Amino acid sequence: MEIEPEAERRSSSQSPEWAEPEKPKPLVLLRNTERSWRLKTLETLTPLLPEPIADQLGEVSIVAEESLNELADIDLEQISDLELQPLRIQIGLVFIGFGALGIMFLMLYLYTLHPHLSAIEQVQHYWYQYVWFVCLGVAGLFMVGREAMRPPNSEE
């Protein structure tokens, strides 16, 4: 009588790899989720809207379907790190720009609507907004700095 070792018994009790369901790609999952929400919304809104607006809404839905189908065809595994570098730099610059723009609007707001406050009082009352805008700019600077310090041929 032959007895199997313990390791072989454990491996035979596990389900085979082909029995595991395949995980959907994130972009396909996004497309399917958006489609289900969009179709339910169209079914709800179309009877309530005037005919020309309902037709335009249907056309927009068709365009959304086509663009999401194109998006779902993209294989995220094929996108290299080098191809994403310009986008990471742009996102960092957007963070820096929005941080600076936010601080500028905050200062404009304070100097036009609260001219009676001194600089110290302005910071005491609006420190939270200052911190948010500065942090947004610093995060953008970190992103741009990280991309600037990367070696040029990191793709191997």
Side-chain angles (χ1 to χ4, degrees):
M1 191 170 191
E2 202 171 290
I3 300 176
E4 316 181 309
E6 188 71 27
E8 287 182 10
R9 269 191 267 147
R10 284 190 196 137
S11 64
S12 64
S13 65
Q14 294 175 351
S15 63
E17 289 181 20
W18 53 268
E20 294 177 9
E22 185 177 320
K23 293 181 182 177
K25 295 179 182 177
L27 295 177
V28 173
L29 189 61
L30 171 72
R31 178 195 62 191
N32 295 341
T33 305
E34 192 277 337
R35 179 187 298 145
S36 67
W37 288 349
R38 182 172 24 90
L39 293 179
K40 289 177 186 176
T41 305
L42 281 175
E43 289 173 7
T44 305
L45 290 179
T46 303
L48 303 173
L49 294 173
E51 188 67 29
I53 296 176
D55 291 341
Q56 287 179 350
L57 193 61
E59 292 172 8
V60 168
S61 176
I62 292 170
V63 171
E65 183 72 29
E66 291 170 358
S67 63
L68 285 170
N69 283 334
E70 289 177 14
L71 188 65
D73 291 338
I74 296 173
D75 186 16
L76 295 177
E77 301 298 323
Q78 298 298 323
I79 299 174
S80 70
D81 192 43
L82 192 61
E83 292 172 330
L84 292 176
Q85 186 175 15
L87 296 174
R88 286 192 296 262
I89 291 171
Q90 287 178 353
I91 295 297
L93 291 174
V94 165
F95 277 28
I96 294 168
F98 279 134
L101 191 65
I103 288 178
M104 186 195 70
F105 280 136
L106 181 62
M107 290 175 63
L108 180 67
Y109 169 77
L110 291 174
Y111 286 127
T112 56
L113 298 178
H114 300 289
H116 60 280
L117 295 176
S118 68
I120 294 174
E121 291 173 330
Q122 289 175 355
V123 172
Q124 285 176 345
H125 291 289
Y126 295 96
W127 68 270
Y128 196 76
Q129 289 83 1
Y130 276 114
V131 168
W132 271 105
F133 294 140
V134 168
C135 286
L136 191 64
V138 169
L141 285 172
F142 273 113
M143 290 176 73
V144 172
R146 187 186 77 176
E147 291 305 315
M149 291 172 38
R150 269 183 202 240
N153 19 351
S154 61
E155 188 73 26
E156 290 181 17

